[in-house]
Amino acid sequence: MSDTIRQPVEGAGPSATQAPGKYRRAFALLASLFFMWGFITVINNTLLPHLRSVFDLNYTQTTLIESVWFIAYAVASMPSAFLIERIGYKKAIIVGLGVMAAGALCMVPAARLPSYGITLAALFIIACGIALLQVAANPYVAVLGPPEKSESRLTLVQAFNSMGTFFAPYFGGYLILSRTVGGTVKEGTILSAEQRLADAQATQLPYILVAIVLAVIAVVIWRSSLPAMGDDAKRANAEERKKLSLWNHRNLVLGVPAIFIYLIAEIGVANLFISFVTLPEIAHITAAQASTYLGFLWGGMMVGRFAGGVIIQKFNPARVLACFASFAFIVMLGAATLHGPVAMWCLVAVGLGHSIMFPAIFALAIKGLGPLTEEGSGLLVTAIAGGALVVVQGWLADMFGLQNSFFLTVACELYVLFYALWGSKPTNAMADERLA
């Protein structure tokens, strides 16, 4: 889960008075942030099967790790907004990078002990830092440059985020899974206590490298002269907005659960992918080998976003969403019922089906909100916490089998299809607010 969220901001951005070259440099720095939080988020997908082997976790305990990650989004988002208002965007971004680096370094003692509890705490800290970056960077990108090109800028940073999610499985597969006993043996192999301890310590180097990169980016941003967002970029007309109600807009009311449910589907597939394809009745490969196919899943999402961005410009976005949701439903049904490599490829293919869902749902949900757009966007951001309910799929996997747990994902695809066909139609539409 790792996507860019547009939070509309009124008024001219910093670029209104800045030279193009200056904000191009700022945009390049911000693009590196989007790459890094996408990268770090998806490292979890290779970390989870590793931790499952080290701590001998069941699927519920394994998916709880990702739930803690998304709980951090719900906990840190509002405090992040208050912090940004107090210290500004540039300092908030530096603080966010510092928090992420501190969390990454906490993975070192977690690996040395090793400790499941400290691991959860470290990942929670990293996710809090990412939440702060999300709240700070998205509106900043929206006003960093000519207003008429804000959508293209946001689409481009989404591509950098997708690049991060694409490369992360190979990084995690090489530095974590391929260097451990648990990552190179078949599913079901019992490891000795010495092997588990050695495997646990394999996570130290990757997270030390991540912490160093984050620290370097923080220093570069600290030394850079980023354009400042002025008072004209802040929300206005608060009194007038109080007279209006979000509940009158069906596309938003049903769009919030659509984002919530979609995150359950995306995170559930990504987190359980390696465990699924390593099963004897599916592909029967090692976790290290499976990480390569996980890269194909995220690569499909990246390709789908590039292609979908063009397609949505030419066709009705709701219909495009319906087509992608239908495709996702079909391949997930295959993953939940078929066996052998074909089931694995069905799960790989769902990345393409999921690719445009988040941005398409988000855009459809805020359509026609007018002066309520910012409040509606805030609700949609909060709905990202739906990823925390991936623990439900972990519980289903323990109770009814890992493959059967994907029927939950099938149900999620059906809700997105329902939203595309009916729930996304605006009611009481007003003129949308645009960036000035």
Side-chain angles (χ1 to χ4, degrees):
M1 127 20 104
S2 43
D3 295 86
T4 306
I5 307 162
R6 179 179 180 184
Q7 298 182 355
V9 184
E10 292 180 313
S15 56
T17 58
Q18 299 290 339
K22 192 168 186 178
Y23 62 72
R24 277 201 296 267
R25 182 184 180 188
F27 179 84
L29 290 175
L30 291 168
S32 69
L33 301 182
F34 282 82
F35 177 92
M36 282 305 298
W37 81 54
F39 184 88
I40 293 172
T41 299
V42 174
I43 285 181
N44 284 359
N45 300 150
T46 53
L47 183 64
L48 293 184
H50 165 74
L51 295 178
R52 182 168 180 262
S53 172
V54 168
F55 296 114
D56 194 22
L57 307 176
N58 58 31
Y59 290 117
T60 303
Q61 292 169 318
T62 303
T63 50
L64 178 62
I65 296 171
E66 192 75 355
S67 294
V68 167
W69 182 273
F70 281 93
I71 288 171
Y73 274 79
V75 170
S77 292
M78 289 307 297
S80 295
F82 292 126
L83 180 64
I84 292 167
E85 184 177 354
R86 187 174 182 85
I87 69 175
Y89 282 83
K90 179 179 176 179
K91 291 181 180 178
I93 288 172
I94 294 171
V95 171
L97 288 166
V99 171
M100 290 171 64
L105 290 177
C106 286
M107 289 295 291
V108 175
R112 282 186 176 275
L113 289 174
S115 170
Y116 177 67
I118 296 179
T119 299
L120 290 179
L123 294 176
F124 181 85
I125 293 170
I126 295 172
C128 285
I130 292 179
L132 176 53
L133 290 185
Q134 291 253 22
V135 176
N138 284 300
Y140 194 92
V141 170
V143 298
L144 189 67
E148 65 274 10
K149 294 183 179 180
S150 62
E151 292 184 358
S152 64
R153 288 193 299 274
L154 288 163
T155 301
L156 183 56
V157 291
Q158 278 192 358
F160 280 98
N161 186 268
S162 295
M163 287 176 63
T165 63
F166 175 72
F167 287 112
Y170 299 101
F171 176 86
Y174 177 74
L175 287 182
I176 298 178
L177 297 179
S178 67
R179 297 173 60 240
T180 62
V181 176
T184 54
V185 297
K186 299 295 184 179
E187 176 71 15
T189 302
I190 299 176
L191 305 185
S192 66
E194 292 77 12
Q195 289 174 323
R196 288 182 179 178
L197 180 60
D199 282 5
Q201 296 178 353
T203 60
Q204 295 179 85
L205 176 60
Y207 279 95
I208 289 174
L209 294 176
V210 166
I212 292 172
V213 172
L214 292 172
V216 169
I217 295 175
V219 171
V220 172
I221 292 178
W222 173 61
R223 294 177 60 86
S224 299
S225 179
L226 294 182
M229 290 181 67
D231 292 336
D232 56 347
K234 295 179 180 179
R235 189 176 68 183
N237 301 322
E239 292 301 321
E240 178 183 346
R241 295 183 182 204
K242 290 179 181 178
K243 302 175 184 179
L244 304 172
S245 174
L246 292 169
W247 299 106
N248 293 329
H249 300 272
R250 177 179 65 191
N251 53 311
L252 176 70
V253 172
L254 297 178
V256 170
I259 290 287
F260 190 93
I261 289 170
Y262 161 69
L263 260 296
I264 296 175
E266 178 191 309
I267 302 305
V269 167
N271 283 357
L272 296 175
F273 181 91
I274 292 178
S275 295
F276 177 70
V277 302
T278 56
L279 292 175
E281 64 270 24
I282 305 301
H284 201 208
I285 57 179
T286 66
Q289 293 169 328
S291 67
T292 300
Y293 294 97
L294 177 63
F296 293 161
L297 183 148
W298 290 113
M301 289 192 71
M302 180 173 63
V303 171
R305 283 173 179 164
F306 279 116
V310 176
I311 295 171
I312 286 179
Q313 292 180 9
K314 299 181 179 180
F315 299 96
N316 183 292
R319 293 181 181 177
V320 175
L321 177 60
C323 290
F324 276 72
S326 297
F327 174 77
F329 169 76
I330 292 171
V331 294
M332 279 310 307
L333 199 59
T337 58
L338 301 176
H339 297 286
V342 65
M344 178 189 72
W345 285 111
C346 282
L347 205 59
V348 169
V350 80
L352 181 61
H354 283 168
S355 60
I356 70 157
M357 285 189 181
F358 185 92
I361 294 171
F362 196 90
L364 290 168
I366 63 174
K367 186 175 181 180
L369 296 187
L372 296 174
T373 301
E374 290 182 2
E375 285 85 347
S377 298
L379 287 177
L380 292 167
V381 171
T382 304
I384 296 176
L389 287 189
V390 67
V391 69
V392 174
Q393 186 166 356
W395 177 81
L396 290 173
D398 287 328
M399 294 296 295
F400 306 104
L402 179 54
Q403 186 169 26
N404 289 332
S405 74
F406 285 116
F407 281 108
L408 174 63
T409 314
V410 173
C412 292
E413 315 295 3
L414 280 178
Y415 183 86
V416 175
L417 179 59
F418 155 77
Y419 180 75
L421 295 176
W422 185 79
S424 63
K425 296 178 181 178
T427 54
N428 299 303
M430 297 179 284
D432 285 323
E433 284 188 338
R434 305 292 295 177
L435 288 172

mmCIF file of all heavy atoms in Angstrom, residues 33 37 40 80 83-84 87-104 125-134 136 214-215 217-218 221:
data_model
loop_
_atom_site.group_PDB
_atom_site.id
_atom_site.type_symbol
_atom_site.label_atom_id
_atom_site.label_comp_id
_atom_site.label_asym_id
_atom_site.label_seq_id
_atom_site.Cartn_x
_atom_site.Cartn_y
_atom_site.Cartn_z
ATOM 1 N N LEU A 33 11.341 10.562 -2.072
ATOM 2 C CA LEU A 33 10.562 10.168 -0.894
ATOM 3 C C LEU A 33 9.502 9.145 -1.275
ATOM 4 O O LEU A 33 9.308 8.149 -0.581
ATOM 5 C CB LEU A 33 9.894 11.391 -0.266
ATOM 6 C CG LEU A 33 10.800 12.522 0.213
ATOM 7 C CD1 LEU A 33 9.962 13.617 0.854
ATOM 8 C CD2 LEU A 33 11.839 12.014 1.189
ATOM 9 N N TRP A 37 9.291 5.326 0.366
ATOM 10 C CA TRP A 37 8.244 4.737 1.211
ATOM 11 C C TRP A 37 7.530 3.599 0.489
ATOM 12 O O TRP A 37 7.046 2.678 1.133
ATOM 13 C CB TRP A 37 7.309 5.783 1.782
ATOM 14 C CG TRP A 37 6.194 6.341 0.956
ATOM 15 C CD1 TRP A 37 5.227 5.656 0.297
ATOM 16 C CD2 TRP A 37 5.880 7.726 0.782
ATOM 17 N NE1 TRP A 37 4.335 6.521 -0.291
ATOM 18 C CE2 TRP A 37 4.719 7.802 -0.001
ATOM 19 C CE3 TRP A 37 6.451 8.914 1.217
ATOM 20 C CZ2 TRP A 37 4.123 9.011 -0.375
ATOM 21 C CZ3 TRP A 37 5.857 10.104 0.849
ATOM 22 C CH2 TRP A 37 4.718 10.151 0.057
ATOM 23 N N ILE A 40 10.154 0.706 1.084
ATOM 24 C CA ILE A 40 10.179 0.173 2.452
ATOM 25 C C ILE A 40 8.898 -0.588 2.768
ATOM 26 O O ILE A 40 8.920 -1.627 3.442
ATOM 27 C CB ILE A 40 10.390 1.319 3.458
ATOM 28 C CG1 ILE A 40 11.789 1.904 3.266
ATOM 29 C CG2 ILE A 40 10.227 0.833 4.884
ATOM 30 C CD1 ILE A 40 12.041 3.159 4.075
ATOM 31 N N SER A 80 0.368 14.213 12.659
ATOM 32 C CA SER A 80 1.262 14.691 11.605
ATOM 33 C C SER A 80 0.764 16.014 11.036
ATOM 34 O O SER A 80 1.541 16.937 10.779
ATOM 35 C CB SER A 80 1.362 13.648 10.483
ATOM 36 O OG SER A 80 1.972 12.466 10.940
ATOM 37 N N LEU A 83 1.590 18.715 13.437
ATOM 38 C CA LEU A 83 3.020 18.984 13.438
ATOM 39 C C LEU A 83 3.414 19.827 12.235
ATOM 40 O O LEU A 83 4.206 20.779 12.358
ATOM 41 C CB LEU A 83 3.794 17.663 13.443
ATOM 42 C CG LEU A 83 5.323 17.789 13.434
ATOM 43 C CD1 LEU A 83 5.805 18.458 14.719
ATOM 44 C CD2 LEU A 83 5.978 16.418 13.266
ATOM 45 N N ILE A 84 2.871 19.495 11.078
ATOM 46 C CA ILE A 84 3.171 20.247 9.859
ATOM 47 C C ILE A 84 2.729 21.702 10.004
ATOM 48 O O ILE A 84 3.439 22.632 9.600
ATOM 49 C CB ILE A 84 2.495 19.584 8.645
ATOM 50 C CG1 ILE A 84 3.142 18.232 8.365
ATOM 51 C CG2 ILE A 84 2.604 20.482 7.400
ATOM 52 C CD1 ILE A 84 2.366 17.371 7.403
ATOM 53 N N ILE A 87 5.482 23.364 12.418
ATOM 54 C CA ILE A 87 6.887 23.515 12.032
ATOM 55 C C ILE A 87 7.104 23.678 10.538
ATOM 56 O O ILE A 87 8.229 23.960 10.109
ATOM 57 C CB ILE A 87 7.727 22.324 12.549
ATOM 58 C CG1 ILE A 87 7.350 21.025 11.806
ATOM 59 C CG2 ILE A 87 7.562 22.146 14.049
ATOM 60 C CD1 ILE A 87 8.239 19.842 12.187
ATOM 61 N N GLY A 88 6.070 23.484 9.722
ATOM 62 C CA GLY A 88 6.226 23.646 8.287
ATOM 63 C C GLY A 88 6.522 22.334 7.571
ATOM 64 O O GLY A 88 6.900 21.337 8.187
ATOM 65 N N TYR A 89 6.385 22.360 6.241
ATOM 66 C CA TYR A 89 6.498 21.146 5.435
ATOM 67 C C TYR A 89 7.928 20.613 5.369
ATOM 68 O O TYR A 89 8.157 19.411 5.503
ATOM 69 C CB TYR A 89 5.962 21.402 4.021
ATOM 70 C CG TYR A 89 4.462 21.399 3.963
ATOM 71 C CD1 TYR A 89 3.733 22.529 4.300
ATOM 72 C CD2 TYR A 89 3.764 20.260 3.604
ATOM 73 C CE1 TYR A 89 2.353 22.531 4.265
ATOM 74 C CE2 TYR A 89 2.374 20.238 3.567
ATOM 75 C CZ TYR A 89 1.678 21.383 3.902
ATOM 76 O OH TYR A 89 0.314 21.370 3.877
ATOM 77 N N LYS A 90 8.887 21.495 5.159
ATOM 78 C CA LYS A 90 10.262 21.028 5.007
ATOM 79 C C LYS A 90 10.754 20.343 6.272
ATOM 80 O O LYS A 90 11.290 19.227 6.227
ATOM 81 C CB LYS A 90 11.176 22.208 4.653
ATOM 82 C CG LYS A 90 12.640 21.818 4.506
ATOM 83 C CD LYS A 90 13.493 23.010 4.124
ATOM 84 C CE LYS A 90 14.969 22.637 4.066
ATOM 85 N NZ LYS A 90 15.819 23.787 3.660
ATOM 86 N N LYS A 91 10.573 20.992 7.432
ATOM 87 C CA LYS A 91 11.018 20.393 8.693
ATOM 88 C C LYS A 91 10.252 19.115 8.996
ATOM 89 O O LYS A 91 10.817 18.159 9.544
ATOM 90 C CB LYS A 91 10.860 21.402 9.830
ATOM 91 C CG LYS A 91 11.823 22.580 9.754
ATOM 92 C CD LYS A 91 11.628 23.518 10.925
ATOM 93 C CE LYS A 91 12.593 24.698 10.849
ATOM 94 N NZ LYS A 91 12.387 25.652 11.975
ATOM 95 N N ALA A 92 8.958 19.083 8.638
ATOM 96 C CA ALA A 92 8.158 17.886 8.888
ATOM 97 C C ALA A 92 8.668 16.710 8.058
ATOM 98 O O ALA A 92 8.711 15.568 8.535
ATOM 99 C CB ALA A 92 6.689 18.155 8.579
ATOM 100 N N ILE A 93 9.068 16.982 6.820
ATOM 101 C CA ILE A 93 9.615 15.924 5.967
ATOM 102 C C ILE A 93 10.911 15.383 6.568
ATOM 103 O O ILE A 93 11.146 14.165 6.597
ATOM 104 C CB ILE A 93 9.844 16.456 4.534
ATOM 105 C CG1 ILE A 93 8.498 16.668 3.828
ATOM 106 C CG2 ILE A 93 10.712 15.489 3.732
ATOM 107 C CD1 ILE A 93 8.615 17.360 2.492
ATOM 108 N N ILE A 94 11.760 16.280 7.068
ATOM 109 C CA ILE A 94 13.018 15.859 7.688
ATOM 110 C C ILE A 94 12.740 15.024 8.937
ATOM 111 O O ILE A 94 13.387 13.990 9.176
ATOM 112 C CB ILE A 94 13.885 17.087 8.026
ATOM 113 C CG1 ILE A 94 14.315 17.786 6.736
ATOM 114 C CG2 ILE A 94 15.114 16.676 8.834
ATOM 115 C CD1 ILE A 94 14.992 19.127 6.954
ATOM 116 N N VAL A 95 11.767 15.464 9.743
ATOM 117 C CA VAL A 95 11.388 14.699 10.935
ATOM 118 C C VAL A 95 10.879 13.318 10.540
ATOM 119 O O VAL A 95 11.241 12.300 11.162
ATOM 120 C CB VAL A 95 10.324 15.452 11.755
ATOM 121 C CG1 VAL A 95 9.764 14.556 12.864
ATOM 122 C CG2 VAL A 95 10.909 16.715 12.359
ATOM 123 N N GLY A 96 10.045 13.256 9.500
ATOM 124 C CA GLY A 96 9.510 11.976 9.034
ATOM 125 C C GLY A 96 10.610 11.020 8.616
ATOM 126 O O GLY A 96 10.587 9.833 8.961
ATOM 127 N N LEU A 97 11.608 11.540 7.889
ATOM 128 C CA LEU A 97 12.738 10.704 7.485
ATOM 129 C C LEU A 97 13.538 10.241 8.694
ATOM 130 O O LEU A 97 14.004 9.093 8.749
ATOM 131 C CB LEU A 97 13.639 11.490 6.522
ATOM 132 C CG LEU A 97 13.071 11.721 5.127
ATOM 133 C CD1 LEU A 97 13.886 12.777 4.388
ATOM 134 C CD2 LEU A 97 13.042 10.424 4.331
ATOM 135 N N GLY A 98 13.689 11.144 9.684
ATOM 136 C CA GLY A 98 14.400 10.768 10.903
ATOM 137 C C GLY A 98 13.687 9.674 11.674
ATOM 138 O O GLY A 98 14.326 8.744 12.192
ATOM 139 N N VAL A 99 12.359 9.775 11.756
ATOM 140 C CA VAL A 99 11.566 8.752 12.445
ATOM 141 C C VAL A 99 11.707 7.408 11.731
ATOM 142 O O VAL A 99 11.884 6.360 12.371
ATOM 143 C CB VAL A 99 10.087 9.179 12.533
ATOM 144 C CG1 VAL A 99 9.225 8.029 13.055
ATOM 145 C CG2 VAL A 99 9.934 10.395 13.438
ATOM 146 N N MET A 100 11.642 7.431 10.402
ATOM 147 C CA MET A 100 11.794 6.193 9.635
ATOM 148 C C MET A 100 13.174 5.583 9.857
ATOM 149 O O MET A 100 13.302 4.361 10.045
ATOM 150 C CB MET A 100 11.572 6.473 8.152
ATOM 151 C CG MET A 100 10.133 6.808 7.780
ATOM 152 S SD MET A 100 10.001 7.368 6.062
ATOM 153 C CE MET A 100 10.519 5.886 5.180
ATOM 154 N N ALA A 101 14.218 6.415 9.845
ATOM 155 C CA ALA A 101 15.577 5.906 10.053
ATOM 156 C C ALA A 101 15.728 5.300 11.447
ATOM 157 O O ALA A 101 16.359 4.248 11.619
ATOM 158 C CB ALA A 101 16.591 7.028 9.849
ATOM 159 N N ALA A 102 15.129 5.960 12.449
ATOM 160 C CA ALA A 102 15.189 5.430 13.815
ATOM 161 C C ALA A 102 14.498 4.076 13.897
ATOM 162 O O ALA A 102 15.000 3.139 14.540
ATOM 163 C CB ALA A 102 14.541 6.420 14.781
ATOM 164 N N GLY A 103 13.336 3.951 13.247
ATOM 165 C CA GLY A 103 12.626 2.671 13.236
ATOM 166 C C GLY A 103 13.433 1.583 12.548
ATOM 167 O O GLY A 103 13.471 0.429 13.009
ATOM 168 N N ALA A 104 14.111 1.958 11.443
ATOM 169 C CA ALA A 104 14.941 0.975 10.725
ATOM 170 C C ALA A 104 16.087 0.496 11.610
ATOM 171 O O ALA A 104 16.419 -0.697 11.630
ATOM 172 C CB ALA A 104 15.469 1.590 9.430
ATOM 173 N N ILE A 125 7.122 2.263 14.233
ATOM 174 C CA ILE A 125 7.834 3.547 14.167
ATOM 175 C C ILE A 125 8.101 3.942 12.711
ATOM 176 O O ILE A 125 7.906 5.096 12.321
ATOM 177 C CB ILE A 125 9.153 3.466 14.953
ATOM 178 C CG1 ILE A 125 8.868 3.301 16.449
ATOM 179 C CG2 ILE A 125 10.009 4.704 14.716
ATOM 180 C CD1 ILE A 125 10.099 2.983 17.272
ATOM 181 N N ILE A 126 8.554 2.974 11.903
ATOM 182 C CA ILE A 126 8.801 3.260 10.486
ATOM 183 C C ILE A 126 7.522 3.739 9.810
ATOM 184 O O ILE A 126 7.523 4.715 9.053
ATOM 185 C CB ILE A 126 9.339 2.010 9.765
ATOM 186 C CG1 ILE A 126 10.714 1.617 10.322
ATOM 187 C CG2 ILE A 126 9.450 2.264 8.263
ATOM 188 C CD1 ILE A 126 11.239 0.291 9.801
ATOM 189 N N ALA A 127 6.407 3.058 10.082
ATOM 190 C CA ALA A 127 5.135 3.414 9.451
ATOM 191 C C ALA A 127 4.665 4.796 9.893
ATOM 192 O O ALA A 127 4.071 5.539 9.102
ATOM 193 C CB ALA A 127 4.075 2.359 9.780
ATOM 194 N N CYS A 128 4.914 5.170 11.139
ATOM 195 C CA CYS A 128 4.557 6.519 11.606
ATOM 196 C C CYS A 128 5.330 7.571 10.816
ATOM 197 O O CYS A 128 4.776 8.622 10.455
ATOM 198 C CB CYS A 128 4.854 6.663 13.094
ATOM 199 S SG CYS A 128 3.670 5.821 14.176
ATOM 200 N N GLY A 129 6.607 7.297 10.547
ATOM 201 C CA GLY A 129 7.393 8.217 9.734
ATOM 202 C C GLY A 129 6.853 8.339 8.328
ATOM 203 O O GLY A 129 6.792 9.439 7.758
ATOM 204 N N ILE A 130 6.442 7.203 7.741
ATOM 205 C CA ILE A 130 5.874 7.235 6.399
ATOM 206 C C ILE A 130 4.561 8.003 6.383
ATOM 207 O O ILE A 130 4.279 8.771 5.450
ATOM 208 C CB ILE A 130 5.664 5.800 5.867
ATOM 209 C CG1 ILE A 130 7.020 5.129 5.633
ATOM 210 C CG2 ILE A 130 4.850 5.803 4.586
ATOM 211 C CD1 ILE A 130 6.922 3.701 5.141
ATOM 212 N N ALA A 131 3.745 7.833 7.429
ATOM 213 C CA ALA A 131 2.482 8.570 7.508
ATOM 214 C C ALA A 131 2.734 10.073 7.512
ATOM 215 O O ALA A 131 2.030 10.846 6.845
ATOM 216 C CB ALA A 131 1.707 8.160 8.756
ATOM 217 N N LEU A 132 3.749 10.511 8.255
ATOM 218 C CA LEU A 132 4.091 11.932 8.284
ATOM 219 C C LEU A 132 4.532 12.400 6.902
ATOM 220 O O LEU A 132 4.140 13.493 6.446
ATOM 221 C CB LEU A 132 5.207 12.166 9.312
ATOM 222 C CG LEU A 132 5.772 13.583 9.432
ATOM 223 C CD1 LEU A 132 4.655 14.594 9.649
ATOM 224 C CD2 LEU A 132 6.792 13.660 10.559
ATOM 225 N N LEU A 133 5.333 11.603 6.210
ATOM 226 C CA LEU A 133 5.748 11.966 4.854
ATOM 227 C C LEU A 133 4.550 12.047 3.911
ATOM 228 O O LEU A 133 4.475 12.944 3.062
ATOM 229 C CB LEU A 133 6.752 10.949 4.318
ATOM 230 C CG LEU A 133 8.144 10.935 4.943
ATOM 231 C CD1 LEU A 133 9.031 9.950 4.201
ATOM 232 C CD2 LEU A 133 8.767 12.320 4.923
ATOM 233 N N GLN A 134 3.621 11.108 4.041
ATOM 234 C CA GLN A 134 2.432 11.116 3.179
ATOM 235 C C GLN A 134 1.635 12.404 3.366
ATOM 236 O O GLN A 134 1.247 13.060 2.406
ATOM 237 C CB GLN A 134 1.540 9.914 3.521
ATOM 238 C CG GLN A 134 2.099 8.577 3.139
ATOM 239 C CD GLN A 134 1.384 7.965 1.940
ATOM 240 O OE1 GLN A 134 0.767 8.662 1.148
ATOM 241 N NE2 GLN A 134 1.472 6.664 1.814
ATOM 242 N N ALA A 136 2.646 15.238 4.531
ATOM 243 C CA ALA A 136 3.406 16.423 4.140
ATOM 244 C C ALA A 136 3.638 16.505 2.636
ATOM 245 O O ALA A 136 3.485 17.570 2.032
ATOM 246 C CB ALA A 136 4.750 16.436 4.877
ATOM 247 N N LEU A 214 18.018 6.858 4.155
ATOM 248 C CA LEU A 214 17.062 7.831 4.683
ATOM 249 C C LEU A 214 17.776 9.023 5.305
ATOM 250 O O LEU A 214 17.357 10.175 5.134
ATOM 251 C CB LEU A 214 16.160 7.158 5.716
ATOM 252 C CG LEU A 214 15.182 6.105 5.182
ATOM 253 C CD1 LEU A 214 14.507 5.379 6.339
ATOM 254 C CD2 LEU A 214 14.131 6.747 4.279
ATOM 255 N N ALA A 215 18.850 8.755 6.035
ATOM 256 C CA ALA A 215 19.609 9.841 6.659
ATOM 257 C C ALA A 215 20.233 10.746 5.601
ATOM 258 O O ALA A 215 20.235 11.982 5.749
ATOM 259 C CB ALA A 215 20.696 9.257 7.571
ATOM 260 N N ILE A 217 19.110 11.274 2.524
ATOM 261 C CA ILE A 217 18.039 12.072 1.922
ATOM 262 C C ILE A 217 17.632 13.214 2.851
ATOM 263 O O ILE A 217 17.396 14.351 2.411
ATOM 264 C CB ILE A 217 16.821 11.185 1.598
ATOM 265 C CG1 ILE A 217 17.186 10.155 0.527
ATOM 266 C CG2 ILE A 217 15.643 12.044 1.110
ATOM 267 C CD1 ILE A 217 16.075 9.160 0.244
ATOM 268 N N ALA A 218 17.565 12.932 4.160
ATOM 269 C CA ALA A 218 17.195 13.968 5.132
ATOM 270 C C ALA A 218 18.204 15.110 5.118
ATOM 271 O O ALA A 218 17.830 16.287 5.151
ATOM 272 C CB ALA A 218 17.080 13.366 6.530
ATOM 273 N N ILE A 221 17.801 17.183 1.886
ATOM 274 C CA ILE A 221 16.634 18.062 1.961
ATOM 275 C C ILE A 221 16.881 19.209 2.942
ATOM 276 O O ILE A 221 16.489 20.357 2.694
ATOM 277 C CB ILE A 221 15.381 17.249 2.363
ATOM 278 C CG1 ILE A 221 14.993 16.296 1.222
ATOM 279 C CG2 ILE A 221 14.210 18.172 2.714
ATOM 280 C CD1 ILE A 221 13.809 15.421 1.521
#
